[in-house]
Amino acid sequence: MVSRPYREMLFARRLIGLLGAEYQLLREAGLLRRFYACALLIVATMACTWIGIEYAINLLFHTTFAEIGLAVFFSLLFACMYIFLLNTFSKEQNSGNRWKSISNAIRTCFVAFMGFLIAQPLLVLVYAKSLTHEANAYKEKLTHSHFAKIDTLASTEWKKLTLEKQRLEAQGIISTSHRRNLQRIDSLGNSLQQKTDLLKQSAAATIQKSDFFLFRVERVNRHHPMAWLATVVIVAIFLLPGYLVYTISGQHDYYQAKKEREKKLVLAAYHRFAAKWSSLFAEPTAIFSRFEDPPFNQQRKQPTLPAPLTDFLHKYINNP
């Protein structure tokens, strides 16, 4: 049976792994608590993401399979994007890295935008009771508006049929064709009434079925001032892990030790590859490189300078 301390350490390692950090190096550098806080904040943001997206999908769709599938997909998508953005912040502080600063600014804005998007369904959930009453009132208003538009469209046809019927009745002629025309007008009137009723029923059913998610988002931001404060808090929670990690200097012992470990891993893999390459030939063969520090390739070899022309002249011209 696994001991409790080992389980706690395993849980801590997995928690720290959300940030792509090295547990042992953090412990040695004294940064474990800060990264614990970052990891817990990431878990909180993932929980907020799941709740917000699931609730939004629930309001937009009314099929259980679609709700669960889309909620899981978008939650995982947002979580992976969020963790990826946090792990790709540049720690370089050199003045020449202007583009890296712009890249970090873009990442920060994108994380803030993600927090803003997730905040909207959460706010709708918090103010669900009052927003439901407003949405119901809006449904009634919208239903009456659609009924009025349908009646307006049908009234033109009604007027045409009424005028034609009055004209035929005013003629006072009783004949078979006359009666057929009157019957035809009555039939068209009944058909028009049926179509009008069906349109009204369809409009009412569609309106009543919708939960008007975007209407709720608009109302919660316009009529609930505290919603803006809550949005700022949620966006701050999304940005806080990046701030806690990014404010650690790139020259800190942890990052220096991490770079050294990564360098050793790369060199070990390169030496294994070089040894395998050399073993493929009858004689020991080194891998040619134009750089002094393969495989990092940061320092290019200086080309060999040619001898002065005077030496050539002295050797072959002056001493035949």
Side-chain angles (χ1 to χ4, degrees), residues 114-126:
M114 290 176 62
F116 176 80
L117 289 180
I118 296 301
Q120 303 313 304
L122 292 176
L123 294 175
V124 172
L125 177 60
V126 171

Side-chain angles (χ1 to χ4, degrees), residues 13-230:
R13 287 180 179 273
R14 290 180 177 177
L15 198 63
I16 295 298
L18 291 174
L19 290 163
E22 299 288 343
Y23 177 84
Q24 190 61 35
L25 294 180
L26 286 174
R27 190 172 183 178
E28 294 173 358
L31 294 176
L32 205 53
R33 290 185 178 180
R34 178 182 285 236
F35 275 75
Y36 269 148
C38 294
L40 291 175
L41 285 171
I42 290 177
V43 172
T45 57
M46 292 173 66
C48 291
T49 300
W50 164 257
I51 296 171
I53 291 180
E54 198 280 331
Y55 185 69
I57 296 297
N58 182 42
L59 292 178
L60 293 172
F61 301 93
H62 300 278
T63 304
T64 304
F65 178 77
E67 290 177 13
I68 296 175
L70 290 174
V72 171
F73 172 75
F74 284 109
S75 297
L76 291 176
L77 178 64
F78 268 67
C80 292
M81 290 172 61
Y82 179 69
I83 294 174
F84 171 77
L85 289 171
L86 288 182
N87 287 330
T88 54
F89 272 101
S90 174
K91 299 291 294 180
E92 300 294 336
Q93 301 293 336
N94 297 334
S95 58
N97 292 326
R98 175 167 164 257
W99 293 112
K100 290 185 178 180
S101 298
I102 296 175
S103 175
N104 287 341
I106 294 174
R107 285 177 169 84
T108 302
C109 292
F110 196 82
V111 171
F113 179 67
M114 290 176 62
F116 176 80
L117 289 180
I118 296 301
Q120 303 313 304
L122 292 176
L123 294 175
V124 172
L125 177 60
V126 171
Y127 293 96
K129 188 174 181 180
S130 62
L131 291 174
T132 299
H133 293 303
E134 295 182 22
N136 291 335
Y138 180 70
K139 287 180 182 180
E140 293 295 329
K141 180 180 177 181
L142 194 62
T143 301
H144 291 307
S145 174
H146 275 70
F147 283 3
K149 290 179 181 179
I150 293 172
D151 289 335
T152 301
L153 293 173
S155 63
T156 303
E157 296 297 325
W158 276 115
K159 289 179 181 178
K160 291 180 180 179
L161 293 175
T162 302
L163 290 174
E164 185 176 356
K165 185 175 182 180
Q166 290 176 352
R167 182 180 61 79
L168 291 174
E169 290 177 346
Q171 292 177 358
I173 301 174
I174 301 175
S175 62
T176 304
S177 61
H178 188 270
R179 286 195 296 271
R180 287 178 180 175
N181 287 332
L182 290 175
Q183 292 174 356
R184 178 181 61 81
I185 293 173
D186 291 336
S187 176
L188 290 174
N190 293 332
S191 176
L192 180 61
Q193 184 62 47
Q194 291 177 359
K195 290 181 179 179
T196 302
D197 294 338
L198 287 175
L199 285 174
K200 289 182 178 181
Q201 292 176 6
S202 176
T206 302
I207 292 172
Q208 292 301 320
K209 183 179 179 181
S210 175
D211 286 306
F212 291 93
F213 174 68
L214 294 180
F215 169 80
R216 294 173 185 241
V217 171
E218 184 267 336
R219 299 294 288 186
V220 75
N221 286 284
R222 177 175 293 185
H223 297 282
H224 298 274
M226 291 301 295
W228 284 100
L229 178 61

